[in-house]
Amino acid sequence: PQRSLSDNVLSLTSLRVSLRVSAMIVQHEFSEAAETIKPDIDLMLVALEELLTSKLLPEIMFLLLDLGNFLNSGTFNANAAGFKLDCLLKLDDTKANKPRVTLSHFLAENLETEHKDLLAVFEELPHLEKASRLSLEFLTSKVGQLDSKVKKLRKDLDGKSE
């Protein structure tokens, strides 16, 4: 059966209304979600900038490199020019010959006794502790969900406008 012109116009009108409603819903959800995650993203960006501009953090990393080279002297890993950041996670796993003392404890004690000036690193990184409690995976997921909704709406608009 052939559709009348009025049926086609009515169908097109309801389709446009449906797309407009979808667009308004996505816009509202986007605004709401963006308002929710923006402070966390801003905090992460500020903390990252502090890390990148810190003068003392590279000195602490150099001390860690020296310590690692000392511990690895005589092995294949001696005289390393650098280390991967995930090695920092192993500082608590490396035990000393004293009970309940790790490489982290040794480093903290060394900083307090030999390199007190480097303890000012905490003043250079005031947002780091709060930012470290945030989940990058969660924020990435939220941004990805928003992106998917916008892309779907864009695809629907492009497909229906023909």
Side-chain angles (χ1 to χ4, degrees), residues 75-92:
T75 70
F76 176 74
N77 293 327
N79 298 322
F83 58 88
K84 292 182 181 180
L85 290 179
D86 66 345
C87 291
L88 297 175
L89 299 172
K90 298 177 185 174
L91 292 176
D92 283 336

Side-chain angles (χ1 to χ4, degrees), residues 55-66:
K55 302 287 187 232
L56 299 175
L57 187 60
E59 292 183 43
I60 294 172
M61 294 297 182
F62 185 75
L63 282 175
L64 278 169
L65 180 63
D66 270 354

Side-chain angles (χ1 to χ4, degrees), residues 15 64 119 135 142:
L15 181 64
L64 278 169
L119 293 175
S135 168
K142 281 295 192 187

Side-chain angles (χ1 to χ4, degrees), residues 2-126:
Q2 196 173 21
R3 293 174 49 166
S4 71
L5 180 61
S6 62
D7 287 341
N8 285 336
V9 169
L10 196 60
S11 174
L12 185 60
T13 304
S14 66
L15 181 64
R16 286 187 177 160
V17 168
S18 169
L19 284 174
R20 283 185 180 181
V21 169
S22 293
M24 289 189 313
I25 290 171
V26 168
Q27 181 182 17
H28 176 74
E29 289 174 351
F30 185 93
S31 297
E32 198 173 273
E35 282 180 38
T36 303
I37 62 175
K38 186 176 182 339
D40 291 345
I41 291 172
D42 289 343
L43 176 62
M44 282 197 155
L45 290 173
V46 168
L48 180 60
E49 184 63 28
E50 290 171 357
L51 283 169
L52 291 173
T53 59
S54 172
K55 302 287 187 232
L56 299 175
L57 187 60
E59 292 183 43
I60 294 172
M61 294 297 182
F62 185 75
L63 282 175
L64 278 169
L65 180 63
D66 270 354
L67 182 60
N69 282 333
F70 175 77
L71 292 174
N72 290 318
S73 63
T75 70
F76 176 74
N77 293 327
N79 298 322
F83 58 88
K84 292 182 181 180
L85 290 179
D86 66 345
C87 291
L88 297 175
L89 299 172
K90 298 177 185 174
L91 292 176
D92 283 336
D93 296 336
T94 307
K95 307 286 186 212
N97 57 359
K98 298 177 188 174
R100 294 186 305 272
V101 176
T102 66
L103 199 52
S104 291
H105 294 107
F106 176 80
L107 177 65
E109 189 176 301
N110 186 274
L111 287 172
E112 287 175 348
T113 58
E114 304 293 322
H115 304 281
K116 287 185 184 207
D117 57 317
L118 295 181
L119 293 175
V121 72
F122 298 110
E123 295 166 16
E124 289 184 342
L125 309 170

